[in-house]
Amino acid sequence: MESRRTRLVFYAGAPLRAYVTASALCWLICSVRAETCPDPCTCTEDSFTVTCMDTPEIELPLAVSPRTSALILRGLNLSALPEDAFSANGTALDLQTLRLSWNHIHTVEAHAFRGLPRLERLDLSHNRLMAVSAQAFCGLEELRFLSLNSTLTPRGARELPGALAAGSLGNLQVLELSGNRLKVIPIARFDNLNLNKLVLTNNSIETIGKNNVSSLSESSRVTVYLSVNPFRCNCELEAFYYWLKNDSRCADSSRLLCSLPEARSGLPVEKLRKEDVDCINAELEAVSYVFLGIVLALIGVVFLMVLYLNRGGIKRWLNNIREACRDQMEVYHYRYEQDSDPRLANVAV
């Protein structure tokens, strides 16, 4: 009887232990999730993605799981990316994708992305970058894709070349700089970037100088996109015109249109004539106009000198003409008086 009672107690306690174990496991999972997923954000465990949208109260760095592979922040009021902005307590993350578009970011400080050694894709589009430190991208040796579309102010555009030339982006393959009102290509050399694709569409580029053309010629891998730019089709475009004719690495070359001068507005750059961009002819034409002006000036000076040296004779000639005109007018006046008075006409008869 006592043995049966013991077995009943054992079987009655089994569900209790299972319940306690399940509760503890649930609490542990929830605790881990609460520690690795910020409260206003959503976390997808199967893809290790953290998404935070339209939550301006978020501050950097975020406490996310070190295994997070993608972090998407959008619609936040971040204003600046400080040093170690994504590395809490110096912890390195396994992030491979970081999207930071539409966050009102205007400053990227030095070492802002430190602690992201595996980052491959970085999107900073649609912000308003006014200050970009030369060491902003330090530590991103594995970065393959960088998007800076519609995000650079004039000051940010001036500071960007220093950040790109810092030497940390040796594996960068795609650089997007569309819609930034750039007037020049912000990359002096391509040999330190390993670029395959450079997007410069919808900017304010009027001409591409010889230095940029030389850099493009030396880099055999990069393909550029340059449509929707107001090209000034004169002799300053000569080097780029011949590169465009002899190289196929401008993917949208057929859509490059002239904006100035007005006589060539809307004309495809590829369909320009050689004389339209021939600097030698333009220089000769300018020299010819200068020479013509000099000749006309000399003729004018000689004419004035002749007048000055013959001023006495010219004065006498003018006086003679004046006296002759006066005598002739007096004859006309006398005849007019006779014709107007009949009595003087009879007396004359």
Side-chain angles (χ1 to χ4, degrees), residues 22-279:
S23 299
L25 183 60
C26 181
W27 177 83
L28 180 61
I29 292 175
C30 292
S31 299
V32 172
R33 179 173 175 81
E35 291 177 358
T36 58
C37 187
D39 184 36
C41 308
T42 59
C43 302
T44 306
E45 295 181 359
D46 54 350
S47 60
F48 299 103
T49 299
V50 178
T51 303
C52 307
M53 301 182 65
D54 303 319
T55 52
E57 66 273 10
I58 282 184
E59 294 183 359
L60 298 177
L62 293 175
V64 298
S65 169
R67 296 187 302 167
T68 303
S69 63
L71 178 59
I72 302 172
L73 306 180
R74 181 185 174 98
L76 313 183
N77 190 20
L78 297 179
S79 79
L81 298 180
E83 183 179 355
D84 298 324
F86 302 94
S87 178
N89 301 321
T91 303
L93 302 180
D94 287 339
L95 272 183
Q96 297 179 11
T97 300
L98 178 59
R99 301 185 185 276
L100 299 171
S101 58
W102 302 98
N103 287 304
H104 307 286
I105 300 171
H106 59 73
T107 301
V108 181
E109 298 180 3
H111 305 285
F113 304 99
R114 185 160 51 190
L116 305 177
R118 297 184 58 191
L119 191 66
E120 296 182 0
R121 299 178 65 88
L122 175 60
D123 186 358
L124 285 164
S125 299
H126 301 287
N127 287 289
R128 189 169 176 79
L129 293 182
M130 293 185 289
V132 182
S133 170
Q135 290 81 36
F137 304 116
C138 283
L140 299 181
E141 284 81 6
E142 296 300 321
L143 194 68
R144 298 320 197 252
F145 176 94
L146 177 58
S147 179
L148 295 167
N149 295 325
S150 303
T151 196
L152 295 173
T153 63
R155 178 185 169 185
R158 290 193 299 269
E159 294 186 0
L160 180 64
L164 294 177
S168 297
L169 301 176
N171 289 313
L172 188 65
Q173 297 177 358
V174 179
L175 177 59
E176 295 184 350
L177 295 169
S178 179
N180 285 304
R181 299 182 181 179
L182 298 174
K183 294 184 178 297
V184 296
I185 297 178
I187 303 174
R189 298 174 58 188
F190 294 90
D191 54 355
N192 63 329
L193 292 177
N194 197 32
L195 279 179
N196 292 331
K197 181 179 180 181
L198 176 61
V199 181
L200 292 164
T201 58
N202 194 24
N203 280 293
S204 300
I205 299 174
E206 294 183 352
T207 189
I208 296 178
K210 294 181 180 180
N211 292 335
N212 288 133
V213 172
S214 299
S215 298
L216 289 172
S217 300
E218 292 172 1
S219 177
S220 59
R221 298 181 300 272
V222 63
T223 299
V224 295
Y225 295 77
L226 288 162
S227 59
V228 199
N229 277 290
F231 285 103
R232 184 185 296 271
C233 295
N234 54 18
C235 74
E236 295 179 1
L237 203 67
E238 181 182 22
F240 176 69
Y241 169 79
Y242 286 109
W243 178 83
L244 200 65
K245 283 285 189 181
N246 300 322
D247 204 305
S248 60
R249 287 182 292 127
C250 183
D252 54 355
S253 60
S254 61
R255 291 184 288 167
L256 307 189
L257 303 178
C258 297
S259 179
L260 293 173
E262 293 185 1
R264 298 169 191 157
S265 180
L267 182 68
V269 175
E270 285 186 333
K271 294 186 178 180
L272 290 171
R273 299 171 300 174
K274 293 182 179 180
E275 52 267 27
D276 293 335
V277 295
D278 193 343
C279 289

Side-chain angles (χ1 to χ4, degrees), residues 317-329:
W317 179 70
L318 291 174
N319 288 333
N320 293 334
I321 292 178
R322 185 178 63 182
E323 293 297 332
C325 290
R326 181 183 296 172
D327 294 341
Q328 189 67 28
M329 290 300 295

